Amino acid sequence: MPEAAAANSNVALDEHIDEEISDCLDLEHPRSFFLYAGAGSGKTSSLIRALEFIKQKNLPRLRLRGQQVAVVTYTNAACDEILRRLKFDPTFHVSTIHSFAWKLISGFNKDIRDWLHRRLESEIRELREQETKGRPGTKASVARQAQIESKSRRLAGLSGIRKFSYSPTGDNKERDALNHAEVIALFASFLAEKKLMQSILVNQFPFLLVDESQDTNKQVVDALLTVQATHTGKFSLGFIGDTMQRIYNDGKERIEEELPSDWAKPVKRLNHRCPRRIVRLINQIRSQVDGRAQEARSDSIDGIVRLFILKANEGDKSSTEDSVRAYMSELTHDADWNDRQKCKILTLEHHMAARRMGFEKIFEALASVDTFRTGFLDGSLSITRLFTANVLPLISALQGGDKFATAKIMREFSPLLTTEVLKNATDQRDQLRKARDASEGLLKLWQQGVPTCGTVLSYVAEQHLFDLPEALKPFARLQRAEELQSSPEDESRDPLDEEGAAIENFLLASFAEIAPYAQYISNTAEFGTHQGVKGLEFDRVMVLMDDSEARGFMFGYEKFFGAKELSPSDLSNESQGRDSSVSRTRRLFYVTCSRAKKSLALVLYTSSPEAVKMQMLKNEWFDEHEILSAVPDQQFSA
């Protein structure tokens, strides 16, 4: 590197951050910290260096005490990447929050039993009170009675469970199994209330580093803060993340405001990913929130950004978006913009992808419910997993005539072929024949066209083809219409609750929507969102924004971009720092823009193109030549 370039280089701007973190990681004098690491700042590298420092300085004492360093990440893929970079060193326990929670609470069977006993009693009592106020014969009444029976059976069976089980990646339908939500709730409760659990955590893991802390369940974060406050000087809790990149609603808002004053709070300022132009854009987006600004690397390219402000009633949007990519290809002299496999197409909002891919009805049914949303979007919701993990693979195998795959699915997932059932069967061949008939009977539902999810559920329940999650059992019962003896007036006065109504609407959807939904949650679809690309980066990014497709569900592009005025409630939420459609849109716009390594195309469909353009120029987010109200088709030069 020439001397002048070396003198102006900023690539070492954040080197002191790793030193600040290492100062916190002394086993004799541990200190907690929050590492602010914005988009592209290399937080994973800092995390790895911190772990290597712990090993270098503290390994003999850790081994002598039989201790490990715990690292909690958000996905299994992130766990695998960190473990690989650490060369699978057993000094480090790297896991998702669900796996880590289960490691701590597993074995506390009496405490788990007591906790479940209290919770089930409370839930049954509440359901019975609702039933006395409701009307007999309604859907809500049938669903409540089914829930009361199911929960009562589980309550009665608790005393017979000697050891509870749980799989972070499974469906957990067995009698002794806990579900995902219960494990998190148990972990948070035990940590906050039981000194023994706190001591076990601190003594086993004197260092606990939590990646993507802004999206970690708020109850767990609060419980960990309680542990840290109680064991200051013995335990180092490291939160790593960026509040501007919070995308899950069950994450803790404004986590940085609740940190004790004695915590270290290093801030990474250098963006290693994005070119200069995109760093300038995301800094301007963020300036409305906390003013934290990044610097592009001195050796980064300029980069190119274009904002296409198009009319909401644009005819063939797919063709228009192809034209945008062709324009970007010519503008950037990058032919790969024309290759869909090499151009990442992102939507800020899942609803757009759901509509374009063909699972809009199940999205609208389930994603609108707070308690369902996160599980629905990451694929862990038990209501949908019955269909995506069990029924869909079985139907695909049956339709493809793959007898081996069919048998494998039945043996792994069907209660008709469990080891215990086969062992106790008077005639194993007859049991195998029964399982075969049940699976082949499922395929017959498709003879009159694609069935609804409710029709499939009813058949699965009648044939005991798969175990049903608790939430679906009342609705399998509701499929039998003879149990309903209500009038329209009764139904209106005693309706299903929000969760029940959502499940009912989901079951009315065609099973044809399950396959594209399964593709979407596996992140193999053409369209991606902020959630699916967390931590990823792409040379070319096109972001699609359209209120008419998103229907204002959770987000508001036109309000955010100035095409519509903010409502009084929006203004109130903004002034008081509460979450709103505008703040969510801002965060997710930041996340999607910051994925781009070379060039970025932003496509906004709006009813007020001119108003958006004026607002963008006023905000100085874009220069005038970067804003286009149509996609040029003439030849030009960059």
Side-chain angles (χ1 to χ4, degrees):
M1 180 183 293
E3 289 185 13
N8 294 322
S9 174
N10 66 354
V11 296
L13 178 67
D14 289 334
E15 281 189 356
H16 67 286
I17 297 298
D18 293 336
E19 295 177 11
E20 288 183 41
I21 295 173
S22 66
D23 288 342
C24 299
L25 303 175
D26 183 338
L27 195 57
E28 300 306 320
H29 304 285
R31 184 184 180 192
S32 295
F33 66 91
F34 187 109
L35 171 61
Y36 289 89
S41 62
K43 68 179 177 65
T44 302
S45 296
S46 287
L47 173 60
I48 297 298
R49 283 192 286 271
L51 296 173
E52 289 173 341
F53 176 84
I54 292 174
K55 180 180 176 181
Q56 177 185 349
K57 186 170 184 177
N58 302 290
L59 183 59
R61 283 174 293 174
L62 286 170
R63 285 182 173 173
L64 182 64
R65 300 174 184 181
Q67 296 174 317
Q68 288 180 293
V69 178
V71 183
V72 172
T73 67
Y74 212 88
T75 65
N76 288 313
C79 289
D80 293 342
E81 172 63 15
I82 292 172
L83 283 168
R84 184 188 65 79
R85 292 172 68 168
L86 292 170
K87 299 179 181 179
F88 302 94
D89 192 319
T91 306
F92 307 104
H93 179 80
V94 185
S95 64
T96 63
I97 187 62
H98 287 85
S99 295
F100 186 69
W102 180 239
K103 179 177 178 63
L104 268 293
I105 68 172
S106 61
F108 284 80
N109 295 295
K110 181 182 183 303
D111 298 272
I112 293 172
R113 187 181 299 108
D114 291 344
W115 186 92
L116 284 173
H117 195 282
R118 291 192 299 272
R119 171 170 279 205
L120 287 167
E121 281 190 330
S122 175
E123 291 173 345
I124 292 168
R125 185 165 55 250
E126 183 177 346
L127 285 166
R128 283 175 173 159
E129 289 174 0
Q130 292 173 0
E131 184 65 7
T132 60
K133 299 173 183 177
R135 298 201 170 195
T138 60
K139 294 177 183 178
S141 176
V142 172
R144 282 193 296 266
Q145 291 178 37
Q147 289 180 69
I148 290 171
E149 292 172 13
S150 176
K151 291 179 185 295
S152 297
R153 282 196 301 272
R154 190 182 185 195
L155 180 62
L158 283 179
S159 59
I161 298 176
R162 297 181 60 187
K163 183 178 181 180
F164 290 91
S165 66
Y166 170 70
S167 168
T169 57
D171 294 318
N172 299 297
K173 297 173 185 173
E174 298 82 4
R175 187 176 70 92
D176 61 359
L178 302 170
N179 64 44
H180 303 302
E182 287 171 342
V183 167
I184 291 298
L186 278 160
F187 180 54
S189 174
F190 285 8
L191 271 186
E193 300 168 8
K194 296 182 181 296
K195 292 183 178 180
L196 175 59
M197 182 61 67
Q198 294 181 11
S199 297
I200 290 173
L201 171 61
V202 171
N203 291 331
Q204 189 170 353
F205 302 104
F207 300 110
L208 170 58
L209 307 186
V210 182
D211 195 14
E212 303 287 4
S213 56
Q214 75 278 357
D215 279 320
T216 302
N217 179 276
K218 59 174 69 73
Q219 280 76 32
V220 170
V221 169
D222 286 338
L224 290 174
L225 288 172
T226 297
V227 175
Q228 190 278 330
T230 307
H231 295 83
T232 300
K234 298 180 181 178
F235 174 63
S236 175
L237 175 61
F239 285 150
I240 302 168
D242 176 16
T243 52
M244 189 65 181
Q245 297 189 68
R246 183 171 67 86
I247 61 178
Y248 290 97
N249 292 330
D250 56 357
K252 188 172 180 64
E253 296 181 41
R254 300 185 297 280
I255 183 175
E256 71 282 4
E257 295 179 10
E258 296 190 23
L259 300 179
S261 59
D262 62 343
W263 279 44
K265 301 179 179 88
V267 179
K268 301 198 77 171
R269 293 172 53 201
L270 195 62
N271 186 313
H272 297 272
R273 174 193 302 148
C274 301
R276 285 187 284 272
R277 178 63 190 93
I278 294 174
V279 170
R280 178 160 67 92
L281 173 61
I282 62 177
N283 283 342
Q284 289 163 319
I285 296 168
R286 185 163 193 155
S287 65
Q288 299 177 332
V289 180
D290 58 16
R292 293 190 182 277
Q294 291 183 301
E295 290 185 28
R297 286 176 60 106
S298 53
D299 57 357
S300 68
I301 63 174
D302 288 334
I304 291 177
V305 173
R306 289 295 183 269
L307 171 64
F308 298 84
I309 307 176
L310 308 176
K311 290 187 177 296
N313 58 1
E314 187 80 24
D316 186 348
K317 292 180 179 178
S318 179
S319 176
T320 298
E321 289 152 17
D322 287 342
S323 298
V324 168
R325 292 190 298 105
Y327 174 92
M328 293 297 295
S329 175
E330 191 168 352
L331 175 68
T332 60
H333 306 296
D334 182 355
D336 285 340
W337 263 103
N338 285 317
D339 186 339
R340 281 183 171 268
Q341 301 303 314
K342 297 179 180 179
C343 168
K344 190 62 179 178
I345 304 172
L346 302 178
T347 64
L348 289 192
E349 216 284 320
H350 297 273
H351 193 284
M352 284 183 63
R355 182 176 182 182
R356 291 177 179 226
M357 291 183 64
F359 61 96
E360 185 177 21
K361 288 186 178 178
I362 65 174
F363 178 90
E364 291 180 343
L366 298 176
S368 60
V369 180
D370 287 341
T371 51
F372 290 164
R373 187 176 300 117
T374 298
F376 175 76
L377 295 177
D378 67 19
S380 64
L381 186 66
S382 62
I383 295 164
T384 51
R385 277 191 60 82
L386 170 70
F387 296 90
T388 58
N390 298 153
V391 180
L392 180 62
L394 179 58
I395 279 296
S396 298
L398 289 166
Q399 291 175 335
D402 191 335
K403 294 184 179 180
F404 177 80
T406 299
K408 184 174 185 293
I409 293 165
M410 290 294 290
R411 285 188 178 277
E412 284 187 13
F413 302 114
S414 177
L416 296 174
L417 292 181
T418 63
T419 302
E420 185 177 357
V421 166
L422 290 175
K423 181 180 179 181
N424 295 329
T426 54
D427 186 339
Q428 286 193 0
R429 286 178 299 177
D430 182 60
Q431 186 63 29
L432 289 168
R433 190 161 40 249
K434 184 186 298 184
R436 183 196 64 201
D437 291 344
S439 64
E440 292 178 352
L442 177 66
L443 188 58
K444 293 179 182 178
L445 299 180
W446 270 255
Q447 290 179 349
Q448 303 301 318
V450 181
T452 65
C453 293
T455 299
V456 172
L457 173 66
S458 181
Y459 180 85
V460 168
E462 289 173 2
Q463 300 296 321
H464 304 289
L465 191 59
F466 298 112
D467 289 321
L468 301 186
E470 287 298 319
L472 283 179
K473 288 179 180 178
F475 294 87
R477 181 167 168 175
L478 276 173
Q479 299 297 313
R480 300 192 294 272
E482 66 271 11
E483 293 199 35
L484 299 175
Q485 301 173 357
S486 59
S487 66
E489 181 185 359
D490 289 332
E491 290 292 342
S492 66
R493 289 178 175 269
D494 185 18
L496 289 165
D497 61 17
E498 182 186 32
E499 291 185 356
I503 295 173
E504 182 182 49
N505 288 331
F506 161 66
L507 294 174
L508 291 173
S510 169
F511 188 85
E513 296 198 12
I514 296 297
Y517 165 65
Q519 183 186 19
Y520 187 65
I521 58 176
S522 67
N523 295 322
T524 59
E526 174 185 356
F527 297 99
T529 66
H530 52 279
Q531 177 177 292
V533 299
K534 178 188 278 260
L536 301 181
E537 55 189 32
F538 311 92
D539 286 340
R540 303 150 211 91
V541 171
M542 180 164 72
V543 182
L544 306 179
M545 298 162 283
D546 189 346
D547 267 344
S548 66
E549 289 195 51
R551 298 185 183 176
F553 186 78
M554 295 288 293
F555 303 94
Y557 314 123
E558 297 210 306
K559 288 181 179 180
F560 176 64
F561 286 104
K564 292 182 179 178
E565 291 187 4
L566 299 184
S567 68
S569 62
D570 292 325
L571 293 169
S572 175
N573 287 332
E574 285 281 289
S575 65
Q576 298 182 40
R578 292 197 298 260
D579 211 14
S580 67
S581 63
V582 175
S583 61
R584 284 190 290 268
T585 304
R586 181 186 298 112
R587 291 198 306 271
L588 304 184
F589 187 54
Y590 176 91
V591 170
T592 50
C593 289
S594 63
R595 301 305 97 191
K597 294 172 63 179
K598 291 183 178 179
S599 51
L600 172 67
L602 306 166
V603 181
L604 173 67
Y605 296 99
T606 175
S607 58
S608 305
E610 193 58 33
V612 172
K613 180 177 180 179
M614 291 176 62
Q615 186 64 39
M616 293 300 95
L617 292 174
K618 179 182 178 182
N619 289 349
E620 298 182 346
W621 286 11
F622 302 92
D623 299 328
E624 187 152 9
H625 76 277
E626 294 176 323
I627 302 176
L628 298 94
S629 56
V631 186
D633 55 9
Q634 70 272 20
Q635 298 293 315
F636 60 92
S637 171

